[in-house]
Amino acid sequence: FEANTVITVENVTQGVIFDTVKEALKDVVADMKHTAILDITATLNGKPVQPNGKVQMTFAIPENLSVDNLKLFYVSDDGKTTEEIAITVNKDARTVTANLEHFSTYVLANVVADKTDSGVPGTGDNSQLMLYVAALAISVMLMSATVVVSRKRRG
């Protein structure tokens, strides 16, 4: 940025931007109480400007948000485009850092769990399932062969 550029971060809690964000993220955010809508702008001599490249910004995580399941989203002015932005969360300092390419509306939010979740907790790693099935099948065949051989020897 040139000298005398003013960067402003406004926390939006109502109005058109709030309503647009609420609709855009309705499938991601369960409750708007767990969001912080940030309207980020930069001006130079009273005229809006955008960064020339990436700008690293660090935000304090508001008290209404948990550090767990925290995501940052860009939401377009019309609400039709949303994009998750990569962040680094510092749980001890309760801050989040992101590299932004432009200034606009961003939302820090605690996201809901995946809706395809059946509600039943996982019971462990099933990546070796086929190996276990094969071992079980071989065990059954060996036991069957043992029974057949022992009956032949008796009879």
Side-chain angles (χ1 to χ4, degrees), residues 119-141:
V120 178
T123 57
D125 182 13
N126 63 0
S127 62
Q128 301 290 330
L129 184 60
M130 290 308 293
L131 179 63
Y132 296 135
V133 170
L136 179 63
I138 291 171
S139 297
V140 169
M141 286 190 280

Side-chain angles (χ1 to χ4, degrees), residues 41-53:
T41 58
T43 56
L44 177 61
N45 300 322
K47 295 181 182 177
V49 293
Q50 288 290 338
N52 186 15

Side-chain angles (χ1 to χ4, degrees), residues 28-44:
V28 179
V29 178
D31 186 351
M32 290 303 288
K33 292 178 185 172
H34 300 288
T35 65
I37 302 170
L38 309 171
D39 189 32
I40 305 171
T41 58
T43 56
L44 177 61

Side-chain angles (χ1 to χ4, degrees), residues 72-132:
L72 179 68
F73 297 95
Y74 157 72
V75 178
S76 64
D77 291 340
D78 62 5
K80 294 182 180 180
T81 303
T82 60
E83 176 186 351
E84 184 176 342
I85 306 298
I87 59 173
T88 303
V89 177
N90 182 330
K91 291 182 178 185
D92 295 331
R94 286 193 55 85
T95 60
V96 61
T97 302
N99 292 316
L100 306 179
E101 295 180 4
H102 66 283
F103 290 164
S104 187
T105 302
Y106 291 88
V107 182
L108 271 175
N110 291 123
V111 297
V112 294
D114 185 5
K115 290 189 175 190
T116 61
D117 186 13
S118 66
V120 178
T123 57
D125 182 13
N126 63 0
S127 62
Q128 301 290 330
L129 184 60
M130 290 308 293
L131 179 63
Y132 296 135

